[in-house]
Amino acid sequence: MKKSLSLIAVICALTMTAACGHDNTSSDVKGSTSASSSTAAESSEAEKVSDTAATSTVQTPSAVTTSASVQAASLTEASAKSSEGSENDLTYLAMRYYASRSNHRPEFCEIENDDGKTVTIHLYDIIDGHTSTCDWYYIDKNTLKGSNILDDEIDLSETAAAQWLPDVPQRSELREKNSFCGIAYIGYAENTDYRDADPKINDLFMSSGAIDKFRFLAQLPENYYAQTHLGTQLYLVIPRDPEAQVVVTEYDFTSDKETGRIYSSYNGSPFLLKCNYSDISSDVRISITDNEGVHTTFSPFISMKDGTPETDCKDVVIFPLP
């Protein structure tokens, strides 16, 4: 009986040991499996990160290369266009060159001939339906140098010429009165031309008192003078804004049509204008645009009531002379 109990005890002990061993083994296996899974997951995640980094490393240079290629292509195209000298570039340079040296901006500037190396540029206005040539330029497209119709050497790459910018005390009065422009009637000037240094013009300056009131008249360049075909009345025009853009066109009031531009300026300096072949109507239109974009157009004439100068715009100041 005692042997049976002892045998039973031994068997139970062995059974418990085996059970405990099985549980430990299972736990070890589970732990090992879990650790293995975790390691695999970490390895997989690491591979993903590595792949992403590798992809990023590959994509970034590709993007930079693409961007650089596009930029290089754009620069090459721009460089080629610049070296080629497109029509717009050349006509712009020609207009700038001519306008800054003559104080007149032609209505039209066109390339008439292009043999691949040299271009012929025509600068002109249309007056009375006819072409009025300002100049012809013959320019090497690579150097931007050449000559004009008088065989004078020109270089379109040069900066714009300095403009005449006199001291004009009368502008303070224009600002006080909030007027965009002022004019003074100097007198009757038929058969005279300021550009010819006609002494009769200087005599008129003296006799009218204009030279005493407007001191800058003594230095007024000839390219700050314009006249209509049959003009007889000489006016001094003073824009208030020294940076104003001015355009003067001859005008036929019987047909209500502009017949051609006779003057333009891009620095707002005072200028002389001989216009109006009669006192009945004006034959000119003066357009002034200030640096804020405000635009006004008017015509000067002599009043048939009392012979005093007038305009068809109330915002123009009339400067009286002695």
Side-chain angles (χ1 to χ4, degrees):
M1 182 65 178
K2 287 182 180 178
K3 288 182 180 179
S4 298
L5 291 173
S6 297
L7 182 61
I8 292 171
V10 170
I11 293 171
C12 288
L14 290 171
T15 302
M16 291 178 64
T17 301
C20 288
H22 176 74
D23 287 342
N24 286 341
T25 302
S26 176
S27 176
D28 290 342
V29 171
K30 287 180 180 178
S32 176
T33 303
S34 176
S36 176
S37 298
S38 175
T39 302
E42 290 176 1
S43 175
S44 176
E45 187 64 28
E47 289 178 0
K48 288 181 181 179
V49 172
S50 177
D51 290 343
T52 301
T55 302
S56 176
T57 303
V58 171
Q59 286 179 346
T60 301
S62 175
V64 171
T65 302
T66 302
S67 176
S69 299
V70 172
Q71 185 177 11
S74 298
L75 290 174
T76 302
E77 181 181 354
S79 176
K81 182 178 179 181
S82 175
S83 62
E84 177 186 352
S86 69
E87 179 172 339
N88 290 336
D89 292 337
L90 288 172
T91 53
Y92 166 78
L93 293 174
M95 188 75 84
R96 183 189 68 173
Y97 185 93
Y98 183 88
S100 71
R101 286 158 175 79
S102 67
N103 195 45
H104 175 71
R105 186 179 178 86
E107 290 181 89
F108 303 98
C109 181
E110 299 176 355
I111 291 181
E112 301 284 351
N113 183 52
D114 183 350
D115 64 9
K117 181 181 179 182
T118 305
V119 295
T120 301
I121 304 175
H122 190 197
L123 300 104
Y124 64 98
D125 294 316
I126 299 296
I127 299 178
D128 289 339
H130 301 286
T131 299
S132 175
T133 295
C134 301
D135 210 337
W136 288 90
Y137 288 167
Y138 311 97
I139 303 298
D140 185 303
K141 295 172 66 174
N142 294 320
T143 65
L144 299 180
K145 296 180 180 180
S147 60
N148 66 0
I149 196 171
L150 298 177
D151 206 28
D152 298 323
E153 293 184 358
I154 59 176
D155 184 352
L156 298 189
S157 65
E158 291 180 359
T159 57
Q163 298 289 291
W164 181 59
L165 299 172
D167 179 33
V168 186
Q170 289 76 19
R171 284 196 171 120
S172 60
E173 180 180 345
L174 296 177
R175 286 190 288 268
E176 290 172 3
K177 295 182 177 180
N178 197 29
S179 297
F180 70 94
C181 183
I183 67 167
Y185 175 58
I186 297 178
Y188 186 76
E190 188 178 15
N191 300 323
T192 60
D193 190 333
Y194 184 80
R195 292 168 297 194
D196 294 336
D198 193 329
K200 288 186 289 186
I201 291 285
N202 290 326
D203 293 341
L204 188 56
F205 286 167
M206 296 291 292
S207 62
S208 66
I211 197 70
D212 295 325
K213 185 164 187 173
F214 307 104
R215 298 285 184 179
F216 55 81
L217 276 176
Q219 290 84 36
L220 188 140
E222 65 178 28
N223 53 14
Y224 288 83
Y225 168 83
Q227 65 181 28
T228 59
H229 283 82
L230 301 174
T232 60
Q233 302 166 4
L234 186 63
Y235 293 88
L236 172 66
V237 183
I238 304 176
R240 179 187 66 187
D241 184 359
E243 298 179 1
Q245 297 185 20
V246 181
V247 174
V248 181
T249 53
E250 194 162 3
Y251 194 81
D252 183 356
F253 277 83
T254 58
S255 61
D256 193 28
K257 292 181 179 179
E258 294 183 354
T259 57
R261 181 187 299 191
I262 61 172
Y263 177 84
S264 62
S265 175
Y266 285 76
N267 65 1
S269 290
F271 64 97
L272 289 170
L273 174 63
K274 190 173 76 168
C275 58
N276 303 344
Y277 55 86
S278 74
D279 294 339
I280 298 176
S281 63
S282 180
D283 61 3
V284 72
R285 298 293 285 171
I286 303 171
S287 298
I288 297 178
T289 305
D290 66 17
N291 59 9
E292 295 181 353
V294 179
H295 175 79
T296 309
T297 302
F298 70 98
S299 299
F301 54 89
I302 299 298
S303 171
M304 298 185 66
K305 295 180 180 179
D306 54 13
T308 59
E310 292 185 2
T311 73
D312 55 357
C313 179
K314 64 179 180 180
D315 293 328
V316 177
V317 170
I318 307 297
F319 294 116
L321 294 178

